[in-house]
Amino acid sequence: ETGVTQSPTHLIKTRGQQVTLRCSSQSGHNTVSWYQQALGQGPQFIFQYYREEENGRGNFPPRFSGLQFPNYSSELNVNALELDDSALYLCASSYRQGAGGELFFGEGSRLTVL
Amino acid sequence: AQTVTQSQPEMSVQEAETVTLSCTYDTSENNYYLFWYKQPPSRQMILVIRQEAYKQQNATENRFSVNFQKAAKSFSLKISDSQLGDTAMYFCASTGGGADGLTFGKGTHLIIQP
């Protein structure tokens, strides 16, 4: 167990809707990042939050947004859902900002967009 | 930009055998980190082993070791005395530092046969 929990584990939405995914990090982990893992692919980096500020972003449009809270919880919000947003969304936390630190992953939230 | 390539979609070996998973990468960074992560079915992704690019010595963790060839940009994972619990998806990943997140390969599905 990594100590990182995500909710919900599965959900189904329709195109155009909005979704919020939640993550609870390990205590003391001040950095959280989110990844999108399409079926049969490796995870792709969406963005990273450090001390409640976004400080890194992958090649994802602005309709992907996030929040990080002081209690080590965080959210990923996706607006105007598209069919290609169907994927496993992984949250990962670490206590060390920047490269080299081990990431602790949650089990993911599987989103299906119809 | 970084790229990570895993050319073996699936591998299968007998229990107790040694298996090597291949990974090549490309980066423009002078200093970077390389990782192997394991993703068991319906389980959390966990770190197997990590290599800092400026360290020439290959990293080892119990039955897991890497062959890091910096000039060739190759980073293979060797699993000795393979066990049934090693069955999982294995992802090679790299990061150049800062808040850029990890770049993952597409993964290798390793099956350990009894």
Side-chain angles (χ1 to χ4, degrees):
Chain A
E1 295 297 323
T2 64
V4 179
T5 58
Q6 293 186 241
S7 63
T9 54
H10 296 81
L11 70 166
I12 300 173
K13 292 285 187 178
T14 57
R15 195 170 46 181
Q17 285 189 313
Q18 179 266 343
V19 68
T20 297
L21 307 179
R22 294 179 172 83
C23 173
S24 178
S25 303
Q26 281 194 32
S27 178
H29 283 194
N30 54 22
T31 303
V32 65
S33 50
W34 286 87
Y35 289 80
Q36 180 194 67
Q37 186 176 14
L39 200 60
Q41 303 293 318
Q44 280 195 292
F45 174 65
I46 302 174
F47 48 56
Q48 176 177 290
Y49 277 75
Y50 172 66
R51 292 184 177 176
E52 302 163 46
E53 296 283 337
E54 182 182 310
N55 69 341
R57 191 174 187 94
N59 189 26
F60 281 80
R63 61 189 185 84
F64 286 79
S65 63
L67 288 170
Q68 184 187 25
F69 304 101
N71 65 351
Y72 305 110
S73 66
S74 59
E75 291 180 356
L76 165 65
N77 299 288
V78 187
N79 294 321
L81 283 168
E82 301 176 359
L83 297 180
D84 285 349
D85 295 334
S86 294
L88 181 68
Y89 288 86
L90 299 171
C91 164
S93 71
S94 66
Y95 66 89
R96 175 181 164 185
Q97 206 250 140
E102 177 179 357
L103 296 186
F104 295 83
F105 285 86
E107 289 191 24
S109 294
R110 185 165 297 282
L111 171 66
T112 302
V113 182
L114 302 177
Chain B
Q2 303 196 27
T3 60
V4 176
T5 302
Q6 294 179 251
S7 58
Q8 304 152 313
E10 186 170 286
M11 295 188 71
S12 180
V13 299
Q14 296 295 122
E15 194 176 6
E17 288 184 346
T18 295
V19 60
T20 298
L21 308 184
S22 301
C23 173
T24 58
Y25 63 92
D26 195 12
T27 179
S28 57
E29 302 285 343
N30 290 324
N31 192 25
Y32 52 92
Y33 295 80
L34 299 166
F35 306 83
W36 279 97
Y37 275 88
K38 169 185 177 181
Q39 188 177 41
S42 302
R43 296 279 306 275
Q44 290 154 319
M45 190 176 300
I46 58 172
L47 178 66
V48 174
I49 201 164
R50 179 181 69 181
Q51 176 81 40
E52 298 174 58
Y54 66 87
K55 289 187 176 179
Q56 294 187 347
Q57 187 173 5
N58 288 327
T60 62
E61 286 288 343
N62 301 314
R63 297 184 294 110
F64 300 87
S65 61
V66 298
N67 183 5
F68 175 44
Q69 301 288 328
K70 191 171 184 178
K73 295 184 178 177
S74 170
F75 183 61
S76 61
L77 174 69
K78 186 172 83 170
I79 306 174
S80 303
D81 186 27
S82 56
Q83 301 174 359
L84 297 179
D86 294 333
T87 293
M89 285 293 295
Y90 286 81
F91 292 97
C92 179
S94 70
T95 184
D100 294 335
L102 296 181
T103 299
F104 285 87
K106 290 187 175 182
T108 296
H109 184 205
L110 176 64
I111 301 169
I112 308 300
Q113 304 275 9

Coordinates of all heavy atoms in Angstrom, one line a residue, chain B residues 25-95:
Chain B
Y25 N 15.8 5.6 -24.3 CA 15.2 6.9 -24.0 C 16.0 7.9 -24.8 O 17.1 7.7 -25.3 CB 15.3 7.2 -22.5 CG 16.7 7.2 -22.0 CD1 17.4 8.4 -21.9 CD2 17.4 6.1 -21.6 CE1 18.7 8.5 -21.4 CE2 18.7 6.1 -21.1 CZ 19.3 7.3 -21.0 OH 20.6 7.4 -20.6
D26 N 15.4 9.1 -24.8 CA 16.1 10.2 -25.5 C 15.8 11.5 -24.6 O 14.6 11.7 -24.2 CB 15.6 10.4 -26.9 CG 16.6 11.4 -27.7 OD1 17.7 11.6 -27.2 OD2 16.2 11.8 -28.8
T27 N 16.8 12.3 -24.4 CA 16.6 13.5 -23.6 C 17.7 14.5 -24.0 O 18.8 14.1 -24.4 CB 16.7 13.1 -22.1 OG1 16.6 14.4 -21.3 CG2 18.1 12.5 -21.7
S28 N 17.3 15.7 -23.8 CA 18.3 16.8 -24.0 C 18.9 17.3 -22.7 O 19.7 18.2 -22.7 CB 17.6 18.0 -24.8 OG 16.5 18.4 -24.1
E29 N 18.4 16.7 -21.6 CA 18.9 17.2 -20.3 C 20.3 16.6 -20.0 O 20.6 15.6 -20.4 CB 17.9 16.7 -19.2 CG 16.5 17.1 -19.4 CD 16.3 18.6 -19.0 OE1 17.2 19.2 -18.3 OE2 15.3 19.2 -19.4
N30 N 21.1 17.4 -19.3 CA 22.4 17.0 -18.8 C 22.3 16.1 -17.6 O 23.1 15.1 -17.5 CB 23.3 18.2 -18.5 CG 23.7 18.9 -19.8 OD1 23.9 18.3 -20.8 ND2 23.8 20.2 -19.7
N31 N 21.4 16.4 -16.8 CA 21.1 15.5 -15.6 C 19.7 15.1 -15.6 O 18.8 15.9 -15.8 CB 21.4 16.3 -14.3 CG 21.5 15.4 -13.1 OD1 21.8 14.2 -13.3 ND2 21.2 15.9 -11.9
Y32 N 19.5 13.8 -15.4 CA 18.2 13.3 -15.4 C 18.1 12.0 -14.6 O 19.1 11.5 -14.1 CB 17.7 13.0 -16.8 CG 18.7 12.1 -17.7 CD1 18.6 10.8 -17.7 CD2 19.7 12.8 -18.4 CE1 19.5 10.0 -18.4 CE2 20.6 12.0 -19.1 CZ 20.5 10.6 -19.1 OH 21.4 9.9 -19.9
Y33 N 16.9 11.5 -14.3 CA 16.7 10.3 -13.6 C 15.9 9.3 -14.4 O 15.0 9.7 -15.2 CB 15.9 10.6 -12.3 CG 16.6 11.5 -11.3 CD1 16.7 12.9 -11.5 CD2 17.3 11.0 -10.2 CE1 17.3 13.7 -10.7 CE2 18.0 11.8 -9.3 CZ 18.0 13.2 -9.6 OH 18.6 14.0 -8.7
L34 N 16.2 8.0 -14.2 CA 15.5 7.0 -14.9 C 14.9 6.0 -13.8 O 15.4 5.8 -12.7 CB 16.5 6.2 -15.8 CG 17.1 7.0 -16.9 CD1 18.3 6.2 -17.4 CD2 16.1 7.3 -18.0
F35 N 13.7 5.5 -14.2 CA 13.0 4.7 -13.2 C 12.4 3.4 -13.9 O 12.1 3.5 -15.1 CB 11.8 5.5 -12.6 CG 12.1 6.8 -12.0 CD1 12.2 7.9 -12.8 CD2 12.3 6.9 -10.6 CE1 12.5 9.1 -12.2 CE2 12.6 8.1 -10.1 CZ 12.7 9.3 -10.9
W36 N 12.2 2.4 -13.1 CA 11.3 1.3 -13.5 C 10.2 1.2 -12.5 O 10.5 1.2 -11.3 CB 12.0 0.0 -13.6 CG 12.8 -0.2 -14.8 CD1 14.1 0.0 -15.1 CD2 12.3 -0.7 -16.1 NE1 14.5 -0.3 -16.3 CE2 13.4 -0.7 -17.0 CE3 11.0 -1.1 -16.5 CZ2 13.2 -1.2 -18.3 CZ3 10.9 -1.6 -17.8 CH2 12.0 -1.6 -18.7
Y37 N 8.9 1.3 -13.0 CA 7.8 1.2 -12.1 C 7.0 -0.1 -12.5 O 7.0 -0.5 -13.7 CB 6.8 2.4 -12.3 CG 7.2 3.6 -11.4 CD1 8.1 4.5 -11.9 CD2 6.6 3.7 -10.2 CE1 8.4 5.6 -11.1 CE2 7.0 4.8 -9.4 CZ 7.9 5.8 -9.8 OH 8.2 6.8 -9.1
K38 N 6.4 -0.7 -11.5 CA 5.7 -2.0 -11.6 C 4.2 -1.7 -11.4 O 3.9 -1.0 -10.3 CB 6.2 -3.0 -10.7 CG 5.4 -4.3 -10.5 CD 5.9 -5.2 -9.5 CE 5.1 -6.4 -9.2 NZ 5.7 -7.3 -8.1
Q39 N 3.3 -2.1 -12.3 CA 1.9 -1.9 -12.1 C 1.2 -3.3 -12.1 O 0.9 -3.8 -13.2 CB 1.3 -1.0 -13.2 CG -0.1 -0.6 -12.9 CD -0.6 0.4 -14.0 OE1 -0.3 0.2 -15.2 NE2 -1.4 1.4 -13.6
P40 N 0.9 -3.9 -10.9 CA 0.3 -5.2 -10.9 C -1.2 -5.0 -11.3 O -1.7 -3.9 -11.3 CB 0.4 -5.6 -9.5 CG 1.4 -4.8 -8.9 CD 1.4 -3.5 -9.6
P41 N -1.9 -6.1 -11.7 CA -3.3 -5.9 -12.1 C -4.1 -5.3 -11.0 O -4.1 -5.8 -9.9 CB -3.7 -7.4 -12.4 CG -2.5 -8.1 -12.7 CD -1.4 -7.4 -11.9
S42 N -4.8 -4.3 -11.3 CA -5.7 -3.6 -10.3 C -5.0 -3.2 -9.0 O -5.7 -3.2 -7.9 CB -6.9 -4.5 -10.0 OG -7.6 -4.9 -11.2
R43 N -3.8 -3.0 -9.1 CA -3.0 -2.6 -7.9 C -2.3 -1.3 -8.2 O -2.1 -0.9 -9.3 CB -2.0 -3.7 -7.5 CG -2.6 -5.0 -7.1 CD -3.1 -5.0 -5.7 NE -2.0 -4.6 -4.7 CZ -1.1 -5.4 -4.2 NH1 -1.1 -6.7 -4.6 NH2 -0.2 -5.0 -3.4
Q44 N -1.8 -0.7 -7.1 CA -1.1 0.6 -7.3 C 0.3 0.4 -8.0 O 1.0 -0.6 -7.8 CB -0.9 1.2 -5.9 CG -2.2 1.7 -5.4 CD -2.2 1.8 -3.8 OE1 -1.7 0.9 -3.2 NE2 -2.8 2.8 -3.3
M45 N 0.7 1.4 -8.8 CA 2.0 1.4 -9.4 C 3.0 1.7 -8.3 O 2.9 2.6 -7.5 CB 2.0 2.5 -10.5 CG 3.3 2.4 -11.3 SD 3.3 3.6 -12.7 CE 1.8 3.1 -13.6
I46 N 4.1 0.9 -8.3 CA 5.1 1.1 -7.3 C 6.5 1.2 -7.9 O 6.7 0.6 -9.0 CB 5.1 0.0 -6.2 CG1 5.3 -1.4 -6.9 CG2 3.8 0.0 -5.4 CD1 5.5 -2.5 -5.9
L47 N 7.4 1.9 -7.3 CA 8.7 2.0 -7.8 C 9.5 0.7 -7.6 O 9.5 0.2 -6.5 CB 9.4 3.2 -7.1 CG 10.9 3.4 -7.4 CD1 11.0 3.9 -8.9 CD2 11.5 4.4 -6.5
V48 N 10.2 0.3 -8.6 CA 11.0 -0.9 -8.6 C 12.5 -0.5 -8.3 O 13.2 -1.0 -7.4 CB 11.0 -1.7 -9.9 CG1 12.0 -2.9 -9.8 CG2 9.5 -2.3 -10.1
I49 N 13.0 0.5 -9.1 CA 14.4 0.8 -9.0 C 14.6 2.2 -9.7 O 13.8 2.6 -10.6 CB 15.2 -0.3 -9.7 CG1 16.7 -0.2 -9.2 CG2 15.1 -0.2 -11.2 CD1 17.5 -1.4 -9.5
R50 N 15.6 2.9 -9.3 CA 15.8 4.3 -9.7 C 17.3 4.4 -10.0 O 18.2 3.9 -9.3 CB 15.4 5.3 -8.7 CG 15.6 6.7 -9.0 CD 15.2 7.6 -7.9 NE 16.1 7.5 -6.8 CZ 15.9 8.2 -5.6 NH1 14.8 8.9 -5.5 NH2 16.7 8.0 -4.6
Q51 N 17.6 5.2 -11.1 CA 19.0 5.4 -11.5 C 19.2 6.9 -11.7 O 18.4 7.5 -12.4 CB 19.4 4.6 -12.8 CG 20.7 4.9 -13.3 CD 21.8 4.1 -12.6 OE1 21.6 2.9 -12.3 NE2 23.0 4.7 -12.4
E52 N 20.2 7.5 -11.1 CA 20.6 8.9 -11.4 C 21.6 8.9 -12.5 O 22.6 8.2 -12.4 CB 21.1 9.5 -10.1 CG 20.1 9.6 -9.0 CD 20.7 10.1 -7.7 OE1 21.2 11.2 -7.7 OE2 20.7 9.3 -6.7
A53 N 21.4 9.7 -13.5 CA 22.2 9.6 -14.7 C 23.7 9.9 -14.5 O 24.5 9.4 -15.2 CB 21.6 10.5 -15.8
Y54 N 24.0 10.7 -13.5 CA 25.4 11.1 -13.3 C 26.1 10.0 -12.5 O 27.3 10.1 -12.3 CB 25.4 12.5 -12.6 CG 24.9 12.5 -11.2 CD1 25.7 12.2 -10.1 CD2 23.6 12.9 -11.0 CE1 25.2 12.2 -8.8 CE2 23.1 12.9 -9.7 CZ 23.9 12.6 -8.6 OH 23.4 12.6 -7.3
K55 N 25.4 9.0 -12.0 CA 26.1 7.9 -11.3 C 26.3 6.8 -12.4 O 25.4 6.3 -13.0 CB 25.2 7.4 -10.2 CG 25.1 8.3 -9.0 CD 24.4 7.7 -7.9 CE 24.4 8.6 -6.6 NZ 23.6 8.0 -5.5
Q56 N 27.6 6.4 -12.5 CA 27.9 5.4 -13.5 C 27.6 4.0 -13.0 O 27.3 3.1 -13.8 CB 29.4 5.5 -13.8 CG 29.8 6.8 -14.5 CD 31.2 6.8 -15.0 OE1 32.0 5.9 -14.7 NE2 31.5 7.7 -15.9
Q57 N 27.6 3.8 -11.7 CA 27.3 2.5 -11.1 C 25.9 2.1 -11.3 O 25.0 2.9 -11.0 CB 27.7 2.4 -9.6 CG 27.6 1.1 -9.0 CD 28.1 1.1 -7.6 OE1 28.4 2.1 -7.0 NE2 28.2 -0.1 -7.0
N58 N 25.6 0.9 -11.8 CA 24.3 0.4 -12.0 C 23.6 0.2 -10.7 O 24.1 -0.4 -9.7 CB 24.3 -0.9 -12.8 CG 24.7 -0.7 -14.2 OD1 24.4 0.4 -14.8 ND2 25.3 -1.6 -14.8
A59 N 22.3 0.7 -10.6 CA 21.5 0.5 -9.4 C 21.1 -1.0 -9.2 O 20.8 -1.7 -10.2 CB 20.3 1.4 -9.4
T60 N 21.0 -1.4 -8.0 CA 20.5 -2.8 -7.7 C 19.5 -2.7 -6.5 O 19.8 -1.9 -5.6 CB 21.6 -3.8 -7.4 OG1 22.3 -3.3 -6.2 CG2 22.6 -3.9 -8.5
E61 N 18.5 -3.5 -6.5 CA 17.6 -3.6 -5.4 C 17.2 -5.1 -5.3 O 16.3 -5.6 -6.0 CB 16.3 -2.8 -5.6 CG 16.5 -1.3 -5.5 CD 16.7 -0.8 -4.0 OE1 16.3 -1.6 -3.1 OE2 17.1 0.3 -3.8
N62 N 17.9 -5.8 -4.4 CA 17.6 -7.2 -4.2 C 17.7 -8.0 -5.6 O 18.7 -8.0 -6.2 CB 16.3 -7.4 -3.5 CG 16.2 -6.7 -2.2 OD1 17.1 -6.8 -1.4 ND2 15.2 -5.9 -1.9
R63 N 16.6 -8.5 -6.0 CA 16.6 -9.3 -7.3 C 16.6 -8.5 -8.5 O 16.6 -9.0 -9.6 CB 15.4 -10.3 -7.3 CG 15.4 -11.3 -6.1 CD 14.2 -12.3 -6.3 NE 12.9 -11.6 -6.1 CZ 12.0 -11.4 -7.1 NH1 12.3 -11.8 -8.4 NH2 10.9 -10.8 -6.9
F64 N 16.4 -7.2 -8.4 CA 16.3 -6.3 -9.5 C 17.6 -5.5 -9.7 O 18.1 -4.9 -8.7 CB 15.1 -5.3 -9.3 CG 13.8 -6.0 -9.1 CD1 13.4 -6.4 -7.8 CD2 13.0 -6.2 -10.2 CE1 12.1 -7.1 -7.7 CE2 11.7 -6.8 -10.0 CZ 11.3 -7.3 -8.8
S65 N 18.0 -5.4 -10.9 CA 19.2 -4.6 -11.2 C 19.0 -4.0 -12.6 O 18.1 -4.4 -13.4 CB 20.5 -5.5 -11.2 OG 20.4 -6.5 -12.2
V66 N 19.7 -2.9 -12.9 CA 19.7 -2.3 -14.2 C 21.0 -2.4 -14.9 O 22.0 -2.5 -14.3 CB 19.2 -0.8 -14.1 CG1 17.8 -0.8 -13.5 CG2 20.2 0.0 -13.3
N67 N 20.9 -2.3 -16.2 CA 22.1 -2.1 -17.0 C 21.9 -0.7 -17.7 O 21.2 -0.6 -18.7 CB 22.2 -3.2 -18.1 CG 23.5 -3.1 -18.9 OD1 24.3 -2.2 -18.7 ND2 23.6 -3.9 -19.9
F68 N 22.6 0.3 -17.2 CA 22.5 1.6 -17.6 C 23.7 1.9 -18.6 O 24.8 2.0 -18.2 CB 22.5 2.6 -16.4 CG 22.5 4.0 -16.8 CD1 21.7 4.6 -17.8 CD2 23.4 4.9 -16.1 CE1 21.7 5.9 -18.1 CE2 23.4 6.3 -16.4 CZ 22.5 6.8 -17.4
Q69 N 23.3 2.1 -19.8 CA 24.3 2.5 -20.9 C 24.1 3.9 -21.3 O 23.2 4.1 -22.2 CB 24.3 1.5 -22.0 CG 24.5 0.0 -21.7 CD 25.9 -0.3 -21.3 OE1 26.8 0.4 -21.9 NE2 26.1 -1.2 -20.4
K70 N 24.7 4.9 -20.7 CA 24.4 6.3 -21.0 C 24.6 6.7 -22.4 O 23.8 7.4 -23.0 CB 25.2 7.2 -20.0 CG 24.8 8.6 -20.0 CD 25.5 9.4 -18.9 CE 24.9 10.8 -18.8 NZ 25.6 11.5 -17.7
A71 N 25.7 6.3 -23.0 CA 26.0 6.7 -24.4 C 25.0 6.1 -25.3 O 24.6 6.8 -26.3 CB 27.4 6.2 -24.8
A72 N 24.6 4.9 -25.1 CA 23.6 4.3 -25.9 C 22.1 4.7 -25.6 O 21.2 4.3 -26.3 CB 23.7 2.8 -25.9
K73 N 22.0 5.4 -24.5 CA 20.7 5.8 -23.9 C 19.8 4.6 -23.8 O 18.6 4.5 -24.2 CB 20.0 6.9 -24.8 CG 20.8 8.2 -24.8 CD 20.1 9.3 -25.6 CE 20.9 10.6 -25.5 NZ 20.4 11.6 -26.4
S74 N 20.4 3.6 -23.1 CA 19.7 2.3 -22.8 C 19.6 2.1 -21.3 O 20.5 2.4 -20.6 CB 20.4 1.2 -23.5 OG 19.9 0.0 -23.1
F75 N 18.5 1.6 -20.9 CA 18.2 1.4 -19.4 C 17.4 0.1 -19.3 O 16.2 0.2 -19.1 CB 17.5 2.6 -18.9 CG 17.3 2.6 -17.4 CD1 18.3 2.6 -16.5 CD2 16.0 2.7 -16.9 CE1 18.1 2.6 -15.1 CE2 15.7 2.7 -15.5 CZ 16.8 2.6 -14.7
S76 N 18.0 -1.0 -19.2 CA 17.3 -2.3 -19.2 C 17.2 -2.8 -17.7 O 18.0 -2.4 -16.9 CB 18.0 -3.4 -20.0 OG 19.3 -3.6 -19.6
L77 N 16.1 -3.5 -17.4 CA 15.9 -4.0 -16.1 C 16.0 -5.6 -16.1 O 15.5 -6.2 -16.9 CB 14.4 -3.7 -15.7 CG 14.0 -4.3 -14.4 CD1 14.7 -3.7 -13.2 CD2 12.4 -4.2 -14.2
K78 N 16.9 -6.1 -15.2 CA 17.0 -7.5 -15.1 C 16.4 -8.0 -13.8 O 16.7 -7.4 -12.7 CB 18.5 -7.9 -15.1 CG 18.7 -9.4 -15.1 CD 20.2 -9.8 -15.3 CE 21.0 -9.7 -14.0 NZ 22.3 -10.3 -14.1
I79 N 15.6 -9.0 -13.9 CA 14.9 -9.6 -12.7 C 15.5 -11.0 -12.6 O 15.3 -11.8 -13.5 CB 13.4 -9.6 -12.9 CG1 12.8 -8.2 -13.2 CG2 12.7 -10.2 -11.6 CD1 11.3 -8.2 -13.5
S80 N 16.1 -11.3 -11.5 CA 16.7 -12.6 -11.2 C 15.8 -13.4 -10.4 O 15.0 -12.9 -9.6 CB 18.1 -12.4 -10.5 OG 18.9 -11.6 -11.2
D81 N 15.9 -14.7 -10.6 CA 15.0 -15.6 -9.7 C 13.6 -15.2 -9.7 O 13.0 -14.9 -8.7 CB 15.6 -15.7 -8.3 CG 14.9 -16.7 -7.4 OD1 14.3 -17.7 -8.0 OD2 14.8 -16.5 -6.2
S82 N 13.0 -15.0 -10.9 CA 11.7 -14.5 -11.0 C 10.6 -15.3 -10.2 O 10.7 -16.5 -10.1 CB 11.2 -14.4 -12.5 OG 11.3 -15.7 -13.1
Q83 N 9.7 -14.5 -9.7 CA 8.6 -15.1 -8.8 C 7.2 -14.8 -9.4 O 7.1 -13.8 -10.2 CB 8.7 -14.5 -7.4 CG 10.1 -14.8 -6.8 CD 10.2 -14.1 -5.4 OE1 9.3 -13.4 -5.0 NE2 11.4 -14.3 -4.8
L84 N 6.3 -15.6 -9.1 CA 4.9 -15.4 -9.6 C 4.4 -14.0 -9.3 O 3.7 -13.4 -10.1 CB 3.9 -16.4 -9.0 CG 4.2 -17.9 -9.3 CD1 3.2 -18.8 -8.6 CD2 4.2 -18.2 -10.8
G85 N 4.8 -13.4 -8.2 CA 4.3 -12.1 -7.8 C 5.0 -11.0 -8.7 O 4.6 -9.8 -8.6
D86 N 5.9 -11.4 -9.5 CA 6.5 -10.4 -10.4 C 5.7 -10.1 -11.6 O 5.9 -9.2 -12.4 CB 7.9 -10.8 -10.9 CG 8.9 -10.9 -9.8 OD1 8.8 -10.2 -8.8 OD2 9.9 -11.7 -9.9
T87 N 4.6 -10.9 -11.8 CA 3.7 -10.7 -13.0 C 3.0 -9.4 -12.8 O 2.4 -9.1 -11.8 CB 2.6 -11.8 -13.0 OG1 3.3 -13.1 -13.3 CG2 1.6 -11.5 -14.0
A88 N 3.2 -8.5 -13.9 CA 2.7 -7.2 -13.8 C 3.1 -6.4 -15.1 O 3.8 -7.0 -16.0 CB 3.3 -6.4 -12.7
M89 N 2.6 -5.2 -15.3 CA 3.1 -4.3 -16.3 C 4.3 -3.6 -15.7 O 4.3 -3.2 -14.6 CB 2.0 -3.3 -16.7 CG 0.9 -3.8 -17.5 SD 1.5 -4.3 -19.2 CE 2.0 -2.7 -19.9
Y90 N 5.3 -3.5 -16.5 CA 6.5 -2.7 -16.1 C 6.7 -1.5 -17.0 O 6.8 -1.7 -18.2 CB 7.8 -3.7 -16.1 CG 7.8 -4.7 -15.0 CD1 7.0 -5.8 -15.1 CD2 8.5 -4.4 -13.8 CE1 7.0 -6.7 -14.0 CE2 8.5 -5.3 -12.8 CZ 7.7 -6.5 -12.9 OH 7.7 -7.3 -11.8
F91 N 6.9 -0.4 -16.4 CA 7.0 0.8 -17.1 C 8.4 1.5 -16.9 O 8.8 1.6 -15.7 CB 5.9 1.9 -16.8 CG 4.6 1.5 -17.2 CD1 3.7 0.9 -16.3 CD2 4.1 1.7 -18.5 CE1 2.4 0.5 -16.7 CE2 2.8 1.4 -18.9 CZ 2.0 0.8 -18.0
C92 N 9.1 1.8 -17.9 CA 10.3 2.6 -17.8 C 9.9 4.1 -17.9 O 9.0 4.4 -18.7 CB 11.2 2.2 -19.0 SG 12.8 3.0 -19.1
A93 N 10.6 4.9 -17.1 CA 10.2 6.3 -17.1 C 11.5 7.2 -16.9 O 12.5 6.7 -16.3 CB 9.2 6.6 -16.0
S94 N 11.4 8.4 -17.4 CA 12.5 9.3 -17.2 C 12.0 10.7 -16.8 O 10.8 11.0 -17.0 CB 13.3 9.5 -18.5 OG 12.6 10.2 -19.5
T95 N 12.8 11.5 -16.2 CA 12.5 12.9 -15.9 C 13.7 13.7 -15.9 O 14.8 13.3 -15.5 CB 11.7 13.0 -14.5 OG1 11.4 14.3 -14.3 CG2 12.6 12.6 -13.4

